[in-house]
Amino acid sequence: MAIKIGITGGIGSGKSVVSHLLEVMGVPVYISDEESKKVVATDPVIRKELCDLVGEEVFSGGKLNKTLLATYLFASSTHASQVNGIIHPRVKEHFRQWSSHKECLDIIGMESAILIESGFADEVDCIVMVYAPLELRVERAVRRDNASCEQIMQRIRSQMSDEEKNKIMNAFKENKIQILVSTTVIEVGVDVSNANMMVIYNAERFGLSQLHQLRGRVGRSKEQGYCYLLSEATHSEQKERLEFLENHHDGFEVSEYDLKIRGPGDLLGQKQS
């Protein structure tokens, strides 16, 4: 079985250079930014959920309106959590399929700017954090993306700094922090064996796949894990979804049920069913 290396770092830190060096050495690297674009463009469930969240214009002429999606995503941490909650579980499954075809190799890699926040830290055996001075990161990103300094800084501010991530997660793992209150940006990346209880507020607002991923953050040791879904759902469909999740623990069953009630969308047109 291949050893999986996770490569991460902030915008413009130089992750791509490290990934390229590995590829030159014969190590295949899953570039999550590129692969996620392919998944978003072809997955009917993602398309439907993004249209419900952002509006049907996010897929203009059947193609993803990247500018509109980026504007929505980087507008606030709440928007980022909503979009990531739709996309990340599907990309994680895509990575698992990709890596399953490379089990005969010694080493494979995954590059992701949000490796920890997206929950991909669970998918790799070790993590390489790539650092660079802020000024250099901005300069690189402006040149690469043909964007303004203000736009790049907005994107950087929307992401937790690498230093802050390490500080908080290490404190939680070492039991210096007993209770962690956060958005899904942190919750999805938690891998702490002694974490045995999670409380999710307004559970009806999350997708079933995301809720399934979240509850998997607890009960990762011999101790019994508990996940409480607090909801103010008033519609019968919302209640039925949460009740299904309560009674089913297999990820494939949850995904199939989610597809059944949401539908695949209109694959040949702009209208989403």
Side-chain angles (χ1 to χ4, degrees):
M1 181 178 294
I3 296 174
K4 301 180 181 70
I5 300 176
I7 304 128
T8 190
I11 296 171
S13 62
K15 302 181 299 298
S16 299
V17 175
V18 175
S19 297
H20 179 66
L21 290 174
L22 286 173
E23 290 177 329
V24 169
M25 297 167 60
V27 177
V29 179
Y30 182 94
I31 310 298
S32 60
D33 184 50
E34 296 177 2
E35 297 299 330
S36 64
K37 291 176 182 177
K38 298 176 184 176
V39 174
V40 170
T42 57
D43 191 301
V45 174
I46 288 180
R47 175 176 293 202
K48 183 179 188 306
E49 292 188 355
L50 285 180
C51 286
D52 290 342
L53 179 65
V54 184
E56 292 192 3
E57 60 272 16
V58 75
F59 279 93
S60 178
K63 295 183 179 180
L64 178 66
N65 187 331
K66 299 178 182 177
T67 302
L68 177 61
L69 182 61
T71 300
Y72 180 88
L73 188 146
F74 291 113
S76 71
S77 59
T78 300
H79 287 182
S81 293
Q82 291 172 329
V83 173
N84 293 338
I86 293 172
I87 297 174
H88 289 167
R90 299 282 180 173
V91 177
K92 177 181 284 190
E93 181 57 34
H94 187 262
F95 170 72
R96 289 174 178 171
Q97 294 175 4
W98 178 87
S99 60
S100 68
H101 296 294
K102 295 173 172 56
E103 292 181 350
C104 59
L105 301 177
D106 293 326
I107 302 174
I108 61 175
M110 165 188 266
E111 177 195 316
S112 174
I114 50 176
L115 185 79
I116 297 174
E117 302 96 314
S118 61
F120 288 123
D122 295 340
E123 302 296 320
V124 298
D125 300 301
C126 60
I127 297 176
V128 175
M129 188 84 74
V130 183
Y131 291 92
L134 179 61
E135 295 78 6
L136 180 58
R137 291 171 56 195
V138 173
E139 179 185 339
R140 287 172 173 170
V142 167
R143 184 170 59 250
R144 179 194 65 197
D145 299 340
N146 194 27
S148 66
C149 289
E150 182 180 351
Q151 290 173 319
I152 298 302
M153 284 304 302
Q154 183 182 19
R155 297 180 187 179
I156 291 176
R157 286 192 293 267
S158 71
Q159 298 179 355
M160 181 183 292
S161 70
D162 297 332
E163 292 79 8
E164 189 65 16
K165 292 178 197 173
N166 288 332
K167 179 181 177 181
I168 293 175
M169 292 308 302
N170 287 335
F172 190 48
K173 289 181 178 180
E174 295 170 3
N175 274 332
K176 294 178 180 178
I177 296 177
Q178 298 294 325
I179 300 176
L180 185 63
V181 180
S182 70
T183 66
T184 55
V185 171
I186 295 179
E187 288 168 340
V188 177
V190 170
D191 183 17
V192 181
S193 60
N194 64 320
N196 57 12
M197 184 175 73
M198 176 179 289
V199 180
I200 303 176
Y201 286 87
N202 301 120
E204 75 279 359
R205 299 184 181 181
F206 297 91
L208 286 185
S209 295
Q210 186 181 22
L211 289 173
H212 178 68
Q213 291 289 336
L214 288 170
R215 70 180 177 184
R217 301 308 98 196
V218 295
R220 303 170 74 84
S221 67
K222 296 180 180 179
E223 300 295 328
Q224 174 67 48
Y226 299 90
C227 180
Y228 296 94
L229 305 178
L230 304 187
S231 173
E232 298 180 355
T234 56
H235 297 293
S236 59
E237 181 180 320
Q238 292 176 324
K239 295 178 181 178
E240 289 174 5
R241 289 173 63 248
L242 296 180
E243 288 173 357
F244 183 91
L245 187 70
E246 178 184 4
N247 297 310
H248 294 78
H249 300 88
D250 184 276
F252 289 104
E253 291 182 359
V254 173
S255 297
E256 288 175 353
Y257 178 78
D258 204 22
L259 178 62
K260 178 181 178 181
I261 61 176
R262 291 173 180 268
D266 183 1
L267 300 180
L268 301 179
Q270 298 182 37
K271 181 180 178 180
Q272 300 299 304
S273 60

